[in-house]
Amino acid sequence: MFIPYGRQSILQSDIDRVVDVLQSEFLTQGPKVQEFEKSIADYCGADFGVAVNSATSALHIACMALGVGKGDIVWTSPNTFVASANVGHLCGAKVDFVDIDSQTYNLCPQSLAEKLENAQQTGNMPKVIIPVHFAGQSCDMQAIHALSVKYGFYVIEDASHAIGASYLGSKIGNCRFSDITVFSFHPVKIITTAEGGLATTNNHELAEKMRLFASHGVSRTFDDNDDVLRGDWFYEQVELGLNYRMTEMQAALGCSQLLRVDDFVKRRHEVADIFFSELQSLPVILPKQLNDTFSSFHLFPIQLDNEGLRKVVFDGMRSQGIGVHVHYIPVHTQPFYQYQGFKWGDFVNAETYYKKALSIPIHQSMTDEHISNVIASLKEFIK
Ligand SMILES: *Cc1c(COP(=O)(O)O)cnc(C)c1O
């Protein structure tokens, strides 16, 4: 038996919804995508949702809609998947990082404030900041938002880990403290559409721009109905866009999965609660939870004493079929980012955390026996 660090949970009802679509008129550009967009927006309390084929695509069109281009600067956390940073480069911008808080592993608002003050003096202000809700726990969005008002930058929340999570009592994705929020529906995340992503916003213009960029930059709305060269066939390409569209099958799966998102998060909390109580006496650092956050527990990251022990525990647990993982190799240490001039030592908190980090399996399909196996295996190798 192998217990992965995360995995999808698919019921017959999910399968039936996808098969229904396969037997229907539209496989793409039909009603299911619209239904999914509205369902997610309603669930989060946002005005608009734009569904696409991945969170990476959603982050990309979010940056495009905010006008990120050559000469601009995008900042994100080094403790994330590479996509959060890459989208800046894809728009031709420069990318830089803000170190994490050592307790939450999220982008640190104090470091951000200091870096902004420096940037203002040197004329290197970011156009967009992409905080990442690591493991499913919200960043300090109030502080980040206050800084965005003071300095005038845009905020895109990378909530790839965080559908179903809350901050200050309301759902992440409501964009109360940001311009756009992005979710991922990769199978390892909370709910899945196989591949898929979605951007929420309360700004109609941003929503329309994202839609345009996700579909070739082609618009079908035009005024002059009297022109004989304009009719139902007519379209205009007004921007340079891509094809990032989600299919109807994916949207149908997403709608079906969304019905269970709160159950999924509830089960993840049950698993986390057992970890918190069973692991508290071990020499490990458990993930600190803040009062004003309710995590979706996409990950359960612990820290071991040192990198040597981490390697022993990782290899040992894997040999017993426990799918431990490590999140994340700091993005600035990736070869691509080293070519841009970043080096080890640039963001010390993210690096120190990474060297000792271990994600132990947590997902909604874990049984009590799985949980016991994970705990027993960790105890065995930690000694
Ligand atoms: C998974 C993930 C992404 C990319 O999501 P895709 O849907 O696979 O493109 C981006 N950011 C973070 C933090 C992620 O975990």
Side-chain angles (χ1 to χ4, degrees):
M1 179 180 57
F2 183 77
I3 307 172
Y5 81 91
R7 67 156 294 166
Q8 72 278 15
S9 128
I10 300 291
L11 298 181
Q12 187 59 44
S13 51
D14 296 312
I15 296 167
D16 292 344
R17 294 291 83 75
V18 175
V19 171
D20 288 347
V21 164
L22 283 167
Q23 292 165 332
S24 78
E25 185 83 0
F26 294 102
L27 301 186
T28 186
Q29 294 176 281
K32 276 290 160 195
V33 168
Q34 286 172 32
E35 182 187 329
F36 185 50
E37 291 177 336
K38 185 166 184 332
S39 304
I40 296 269
D42 288 350
Y43 175 78
C44 298
D47 289 342
F48 308 100
V50 179
V52 286
N53 57 3
S54 72
T56 307
S57 302
L59 288 164
H60 189 195
I61 57 169
C63 285
M64 291 172 85
L66 290 170
V68 176
K70 218 173 147 64
D72 291 327
I73 302 173
V74 174
W75 291 359
T76 187
S77 168
N79 183 35
T80 185
F81 185 57
V82 292
S84 318
N86 288 345
V87 292
H89 285 291
L90 286 170
C91 291
K94 273 172 65 175
V95 173
D96 200 353
F97 302 91
V98 181
D99 207 354
I100 59 167
D101 174 273
S102 305
Q103 297 211 312
T104 63
Y105 320 135
N106 274 332
L107 187 146
C108 171
Q110 281 79 37
S111 305
L112 176 60
E114 285 162 28
K115 198 176 171 93
L116 285 165
E117 201 165 313
N118 279 331
Q120 198 171 43
Q121 272 151 28
T122 55
N124 282 307
M125 285 298 283
K127 182 163 196 162
V128 175
I129 293 186
I130 308 180
V132 180
H133 302 313
F134 178 70
Q137 179 171 231
S138 179
C139 295
D140 184 347
M141 291 309 299
Q142 257 182 323
I144 294 169
H145 179 253
L147 289 166
S148 77
V149 172
K150 179 172 175 191
Y151 289 97
F153 55 82
Y154 298 112
V155 178
I156 302 171
E157 296 173 69
D158 184 343
S160 292
H161 298 183
I163 193 147
S166 303
Y167 175 62
L168 295 175
S170 41
K171 286 276 182 319
I172 287 185
N174 64 11
C175 298
R176 187 170 153 206
F177 300 109
S178 64
D179 298 283
I180 296 168
T181 301
V182 165
F183 296 111
S184 172
F185 308 122
H186 182 277
V188 88
K189 310 291 165 72
I190 313 286
I191 62 169
T192 191
T193 61
E195 297 284 356
L198 188 140
T200 59
T201 181
N202 296 323
N203 181 316
H204 180 257
E205 195 188 336
L206 284 179
E208 289 309 305
K209 278 189 185 165
M210 288 195 283
R211 241 180 255 298
L212 204 57
F213 286 123
S215 197
H216 307 287
V218 161
S219 165
R220 288 181 180 275
T221 50
F222 57 93
D223 308 323
D224 190 359
N225 280 314
D226 295 337
D227 186 338
V228 291
L229 286 178
R230 294 184 177 199
D232 271 352
W233 69 85
F234 189 71
Y235 59 85
E236 285 177 306
Q237 190 210 333
V238 294
E239 292 276 7
L240 186 60
L242 302 119
N243 180 351
Y244 278 168
R245 291 190 298 254
M246 176 178 271
T247 67
E248 290 284 288
M249 290 80 80
Q250 290 170 307
L253 180 56
C255 288
S256 179
Q257 290 262 302
L258 185 62
L259 300 173
R260 307 209 302 288
V261 65
D262 291 333
D263 294 341
F264 289 172
V265 172
K266 184 161 168 267
R267 179 60 184 160
R268 286 170 180 270
H269 269 262
E270 288 168 5
V271 178
D273 286 347
I274 297 173
F275 286 153
F276 278 118
S277 67
E278 294 289 315
L279 305 180
Q280 60 170 349
S281 56
L282 296 183
V284 297
I285 299 175
L286 300 174
K288 185 179 169 72
Q289 301 300 299
L290 303 179
N291 283 333
D292 45 13
T293 64
F294 175 81
S295 180
S296 54
F297 281 112
H298 163 57
L299 301 173
F300 196 91
I302 63 173
Q303 282 185 82
L304 303 173
D305 276 348
N306 55 62
E307 53 250 67
L309 182 62
R310 194 265 304 272
K311 173 100 171 111
V312 168
V313 172
F314 182 96
D315 291 344
M317 291 182 77
R318 277 284 179 102
S319 77
Q320 293 187 339
I322 313 290
V324 286
H325 219 295
V326 172
H327 299 94
Y328 284 98
I329 304 167
V331 177
H332 68 281
T333 69
Q334 295 290 351
F336 176 84
Y337 285 87
Q338 294 210 28
Y339 304 149
Q340 324 280 327
F342 293 103
K343 58 187 185 314
W344 284 95
D346 284 347
F347 303 98
V348 174
N349 291 352
E351 295 169 22
T352 306
Y353 159 72
Y354 157 65
K355 288 177 184 166
K356 301 190 275 182
L358 186 74
S359 299
I360 59 175
I362 186 166
H363 51 86
Q364 51 267 10
S365 313
M366 273 175 91
T367 63
D368 291 353
E369 191 193 343
H370 292 149
I371 301 168
S372 310
N373 289 349
V374 170
I375 293 168
S377 179
L378 177 62
K379 283 183 174 163
E380 179 178 339
F381 292 105
I382 216 162
K383 306 205 234 25

